[in-house]
Amino acid sequence: MRIVLLGPPGAGKGTQSKILSARLGVPQIVIGDILKAQVSRGTPLGVAAKPYLDDGKLVPDPVIIETIHERLEDPDTDKGFVLDGFPRTVPQAIALDTTLADAGTPLDVVIELVVGRDDVVRRLSGRRVCSNCGHIWHVEFDPPTVDGICDVCGHDLIQRSDDNPETIIRRLGEYAEKTVPLTDFYAAQGKLVRIDAAGTPEAVTAATIAAAEPY
Ligand code: AMP
């Protein structure tokens, strides 16, 4: 079971890919998290990627493609994966297709979470992340009991540095310019399933599972 989740920042890819990965028993591969971990460890990849993450720009394709190839060589991906945040450009998608074709294990389905720009801006600007356990809260839609404190583990909530209005606008610009063309790319392969992601997380989960289940 090899799935790609597409959608703008704030569409809920993280939430849905986590649920799908647990349900299907395959790893959830979140490229943004891999990059952020490298940045905080100060590795050469992290140092190269940091200015792009800070600016809300996409990291250059060759760097990302090499990173994901290394991850896909890990044996836990033998039974499949849910990819969250990769590919984000047509060259990345072509590189992924080539690698998977060489291995005789093509993608099964690409699920696009569709949500409007205003919703995305509201979701991202109110998003708060637990600094300890990573649980995601929202100041308006899913607030913790005590402002700024995680209900799950009691640690402080933080706002992602790229969830500020200026960087959000740049990330959405990158999405429109470089990632939206991927929908045509996968539709032409007959692999694209579009899901309305404006509803409740539960409704989106039901639709996402229904899209993945036939495979
Ligand atoms: P995310 O957590 O998915 O919103 O990703 C955070 C940041 O990581 C993005 O704004 C980009 O700077 C970088 N990034 C994540 N995935 C990719 C990708 N597939 N290609 C290039 N840059 C990426």
Side-chain angles (χ1 to χ4, degrees):
M1 183 78 233
R2 289 166 296 277
I3 304 180
V4 162
L5 279 193
L6 277 185
K13 296 189 298 297
T15 305
Q16 300 304 331
S17 60
K18 190 172 177 186
I19 293 169
L20 268 186
S21 115
R23 176 110 178 189
L24 300 170
V26 295
Q28 173 203 27
I29 301 178
V30 188
I31 185 72
D33 288 354
I34 295 175
L35 293 172
K36 282 169 218 154
Q38 300 275 343
V39 170
S40 45
R41 280 165 43 209
T43 64
L45 167 62
V47 171
K50 185 173 186 317
Y52 296 94
L53 270 79
D54 287 347
D55 276 357
K57 297 273 192 185
L58 292 188
V59 176
D61 286 336
V63 178
I64 290 291
I65 290 168
E66 190 186 330
T67 306
I68 208 78
H69 279 177
E70 281 174 14
R71 179 65 184 88
L72 291 179
E73 276 167 14
D74 291 343
D76 68 334
T77 63
D78 285 353
K79 278 200 269 165
F81 49 74
V82 181
L83 274 179
D84 165 354
F86 182 94
R88 265 174 151 127
T89 66
V90 171
Q92 291 179 13
I94 291 171
L96 178 64
D97 272 3
T98 306
T99 306
L100 296 178
D102 288 348
T105 54
L107 285 177
D108 292 300
V109 61
V110 176
I111 300 173
E112 182 192 2
L113 303 180
V114 180
V115 55
R117 186 185 173 90
D118 289 352
D119 279 344
V120 160
V121 172
R122 255 173 105 190
R123 286 184 187 187
L124 292 176
S125 45
R127 179 160 73 177
R128 300 291 182 273
V129 185
C130 175
S131 56
N132 178 53
C133 71
H135 189 93
I136 295 171
W137 300 92
H138 193 282
V139 292
E140 194 183 340
F141 307 130
D142 185 19
T145 314
V146 180
D147 197 25
I149 303 292
C150 180
D151 279 6
V152 177
C153 71
H155 285 74
D156 289 342
L157 303 185
I158 52 170
Q159 184 167 25
R160 269 174 59 158
S161 59
D162 58 356
D163 276 350
N164 66 76
E166 224 174 79
T167 314
I168 289 171
I169 298 300
R170 263 203 301 271
R171 288 161 67 202
L172 290 176
E174 288 281 87
Y175 183 78
E177 184 190 337
K178 296 176 180 158
T179 310
V180 166
L182 279 184
T183 55
D184 285 343
F185 178 88
Y186 286 123
Q189 296 185 1
K191 291 190 174 166
L192 187 72
V193 178
R194 305 183 87 216
I195 283 177
D196 175 9
T200 63
E202 294 74 21
V204 180
T205 297
T208 307
I209 288 171
E213 229 148 37
Y215 301 90

